[in-house]
Amino acid sequence: SGLGKVFAIQLAKKYPNSEILIVGRNEARLAETQLALEKLGSTVSAMACDLSNLQDLQRLEQKIETSPVSILVNNAGFGTIAKFKNEDRDQISAMVDTNVRALTRLSHAAVQSMQKRSGGSIIQVASIAGMIPTPFSAVYGASKAYVIQLALSMHEELKESGIYVQALCPGLTHTGFHARANIDTSPFPDWIWMEAEEVVADSLKAMDQKKSLVVPGLVNKPVAFLGEFIPDTVLAPIVSMIMKNNFS
């Protein structure tokens, strides 16, 4: 759903008659997306996986490593909003397993496949939350900071072998993400939001241009600027003040 579904659709349009593997936990949504992609002329396989489950993850790893993968989009992830001391420990583990462990292991599997053919592209979906401190969403923000650093390091290591890696850092985007995380979005004006279709289009354009760090939309670039030039110790209390609206 969300960005993942839009990525699949736009890639099917960009590469007609391609073979696509879609992955998710919800089998009904997978079937719906599979049908939409097949109507676009793609050959589609669907795999139901919970990427926080190691056995499911290993099953997908094996599929990726033994298949001729050209593009991997690591889109799966989730976040929560809560005071760190009140977070559920099992949910924290599931978040780290999905946002960090799964993304890392699937990337490693994809590289094994891609290096056999001396090329490929990996899009790591991070967030501008990974560029700044995120009080009240501490684990999520930290996980996305990891994704950004991993992607940039991979890009530098692998570019000479023909493998491109992108860190995609969207801001507020209309998907089901915020509803699932119980985040109050009322403080954020309409003009600050992007549509999933815009985010994906910017990502795929940047992929063609081999850009390693992508912050889609003009509205999000000032946040990236703040994260680069203003000390985190200054930003942390500012973000904290904004996020506290969810606890009023």
Side-chain angles (χ1 to χ4, degrees):
S1 61
L3 284 174
K5 181 176 182 178
V6 175
F7 261 113
I9 290 171
Q10 291 200 18
L11 285 168
K13 292 177 179 178
K14 184 177 178 67
Y15 302 104
N17 305 312
S18 54
E19 296 182 11
I20 300 178
L21 170 65
I22 56 175
V23 180
R25 292 185 302 169
N26 189 310
E27 292 188 23
R29 285 180 183 170
L30 282 175
E32 177 185 312
T33 302
Q34 182 173 3
L35 182 61
L37 295 173
E38 288 173 344
K39 287 180 178 178
L40 293 172
S42 296
T43 301
V44 186
S45 302
M47 184 180 290
C49 285
D50 177 355
L51 296 183
S52 67
N53 179 288
L54 184 56
Q55 288 183 329
D56 278 8
L57 176 58
Q58 290 173 328
R59 185 162 52 92
L60 180 56
E61 285 173 25
Q62 185 177 21
K63 174 71 173 176
I64 289 174
E65 189 166 354
T66 57
S67 300
V69 177
S70 298
I71 299 173
L72 170 68
V73 180
N74 265 319
N75 174 76
F78 72 95
T80 57
I81 180 163
K83 295 178 180 178
F84 180 78
K85 66 178 183 179
N86 296 335
E87 289 265 32
D88 179 84
R89 199 173 300 162
D90 289 338
Q91 190 171 46
I92 288 175
S93 291
M95 192 191 315
V96 173
D97 287 344
T98 303
N99 296 5
V100 174
R101 182 180 69 176
L103 176 140
T104 306
R105 292 178 64 112
L106 296 178
S107 298
H108 192 270
V111 169
Q112 307 315 304
S113 171
M114 291 174 179
Q115 67 183 357
K116 295 172 187 174
R117 297 181 318 286
S118 301
S121 298
I122 300 174
I123 297 175
Q124 312 283 37
V125 180
S127 169
I128 57 171
M131 296 180 160
I132 58 175
T134 53
F136 303 105
S137 195
V139 178
Y140 174 75
S143 73
K144 292 304 182 179
Y146 171 91
V147 172
I148 294 169
Q149 294 303 322
L150 177 70
L152 295 178
S153 298
M154 287 178 61
H155 178 79
E156 191 62 29
E157 280 188 36
L158 296 167
K159 63 184 181 182
E160 290 185 4
S161 63
I163 299 174
Y164 159 78
V165 185
Q166 176 188 124
L168 174 63
C169 301
L172 292 170
T173 306
H174 285 300
T175 64
F177 175 88
H178 299 90
R180 288 193 297 272
N182 294 316
I183 296 176
D184 177 14
T185 59
S186 60
F188 304 110
D190 290 344
W191 58 266
I192 208 169
W193 291 84
M194 290 186 71
E195 298 299 328
E197 288 77 9
E198 298 173 288
V199 171
V200 173
D202 281 359
S203 173
L204 296 183
K205 180 180 178 181
M207 181 180 72
D208 292 338
Q209 299 168 345
K210 305 299 183 186
K211 292 182 179 178
S212 59
L213 180 64
V214 181
V215 181
L218 291 175
V219 70
N220 294 314
K221 287 177 172 50
V223 178
F225 176 86
L226 292 175
E228 187 171 354
F229 293 103
I230 297 180
D232 287 349
T233 51
V234 174
L235 282 173
I238 296 172
V239 176
S240 178
M241 219 168 24
I242 296 170
M243 296 295 284
K244 279 180 180 176
N245 287 320
N246 286 277
F247 298 95
S248 59

